[in-house]
Amino acid sequence: MVSIPEHALKLVDSSLSQTLEEYSHTLFITGSKNVGKTTLLYSFLDKTDTLRETLVLEYSFGRKSRQSGEIEKTLCHIWEYGGKLNILKNTMSSIPIQGKYFLLVMVDLSKIKSIWDTIETCLRTMYDTYSKNNYPEVILIGGKYDIFKNYDGEIKKFICTSIRGLGILHNASVLFCSNKEQQLLRRAKEMLYNIGFGNNATIKDKNTNYTKPLSIPKGSDSWESIGIAPSTLDKLKIRHISRIASDIETNDVAEIASQRNAHAEPDLDTLVASKYNEIRNMAAIDSSVDDYLLTLHK
């Protein structure tokens, strides 16, 4: 049975003239929930539709003439994942890849305790899904910079050090942005345009100063510039979590607590708690996202 991603790709291909592999690009964006991934993509594609939450997986595409006046176009396939990261592999492995492939991991800079876990989970899934010769080019995007910029200077410096270190270890570009600051949104849009229709993640105006939004092309940073000794991933992780512990368990407890005593009738609270536990149990099952998507169209 044809999966939803494969079906979507066939529909697009059937409505367009044949596009050579070398003129196709694939973008896969994932990361933190409610960080502004959809807003960024809408800006890139100049879409004016009303924003809606990405529940699991969304597909869109953009196209551009390779040269002025030409009929042939560069086609950019865009996949946005909004589901749970613990089942990300099911989706990532089912994405049909055409041409140059880019993985964009967008993290919520306003939630500093989840930054490491989000990036680590996404990149570990990438390495588990693809062979070494087929790794996509990685771009680390820090969203909600408008909030992060007001944090304590030492915290900002520490977070930036960790993200820059991850950028070096994974040969990734790093870019901070905010959907509430037009200049930063425009810069992120330009970067998407470059990877969608150009040759690489061209990032202008390099900046490594933590007091300003990071803007670092891949391969242009160094441990000496960061100010720490060359590190392995394990050493960098130990350094990070020794100061900023993960909030995964904390978030689970807070979410459970928010469901308690939320209604005027105790019976409703009991029902909500029961349903919540049911959903939590379902989330622990490593089910196929493709199978789930197919059920929506039966």
Side-chain angles (χ1 to χ4, degrees), residues 205-217:
D205 302 322
K206 176 184 174 181
N207 173 63
T208 58
N209 186 337
Y210 71 91
T211 64
K212 299 178 180 180
L214 295 183
S215 177
I216 310 173

Side-chain angles (χ1 to χ4, degrees), residues 230-247:
S231 299
T232 63
L233 183 60
D234 287 340
K235 288 182 179 179
L236 190 65
K237 180 176 182 177
I238 291 172
R239 178 183 183 275
H240 183 89
I241 65 177
S242 66
R243 180 167 181 178
I244 302 178
S246 169
D247 71 341

Side-chain angles (χ1 to χ4, degrees), residues 99-118:
K100 295 181 180 180
Y101 183 25
F102 299 86
L103 173 65
L104 291 76
V105 180
M106 192 169 183
V107 295
D108 189 338
L109 293 174
S110 71
K111 299 178 179 178
I112 60 174
K113 289 187 177 181
S114 65
I115 290 174
W116 183 276
D117 289 317
T118 299

Side-chain angles (χ1 to χ4, degrees), residues 73 99 111 118 122 149 174 187 213 296 298:
K73 299 179 182 295
K111 299 178 179 178
T118 299
C122 293
K149 70 180 181 182
V174 176
R187 187 176 64 178
L296 299 180
K298 288 183 177 180

Side-chain angles (χ1 to χ4, degrees), residues 46-160:
D46 293 323
K47 294 177 66 174
T48 57
D49 305 4
T50 302
L51 288 171
R52 56 191 178 86
E53 183 181 2
T54 304
L55 298 179
V56 181
L57 184 67
E58 296 284 348
Y59 172 80
S60 55
F61 69 93
R63 48 183 172 166
K64 175 183 177 295
S65 297
R66 296 202 290 273
Q67 291 184 12
S68 178
E70 284 194 1
I71 297 177
E72 292 81 4
K73 299 179 182 295
T74 297
L75 181 61
C76 176
H77 302 279
I78 305 167
W79 301 92
E80 180 188 0
Y81 180 73
K84 289 182 175 293
L85 294 182
N86 62 352
I87 57 172
L88 173 61
K89 185 175 181 179
N90 296 323
T91 299
M92 190 176 286
S93 61
S94 69
I95 292 298
I97 300 170
Q98 288 197 348
K100 295 181 180 180
Y101 183 25
F102 299 86
L103 173 65
L104 291 76
V105 180
M106 192 169 183
V107 295
D108 189 338
L109 293 174
S110 71
K111 299 178 179 178
I112 60 174
K113 289 187 177 181
S114 65
I115 290 174
W116 183 276
D117 289 317
T118 299
I119 296 176
E120 182 182 41
T121 300
C122 293
L123 295 183
R124 185 175 63 245
T125 302
M126 179 193 76
Y127 291 127
D128 290 343
T129 303
Y130 306 113
S131 61
K132 186 174 183 179
N133 294 329
N134 294 314
Y135 291 151
E137 181 174 334
V138 177
I139 302 166
L140 304 179
I141 304 176
K144 296 190 178 181
Y145 180 77
D146 56 296
I147 299 176
F148 180 75
K149 70 180 181 182
N150 297 316
Y151 284 4
D152 175 77
E154 286 302 310
I155 289 295
K156 289 195 295 184
K157 182 178 181 180
F158 188 83
I159 293 296
C160 288

Side-chain angles (χ1 to χ4, degrees), residues 40 44 141 175-178 183-193:
L40 178 57
F44 165 50
I141 304 176
L175 185 70
F176 284 3
C177 73
S178 167
Q183 182 178 359
L184 298 184
L185 182 59
R186 183 169 57 252
R187 187 176 64 178
K189 177 181 177 179
E190 291 174 354
M191 183 270 296
L192 287 178
Y193 187 87

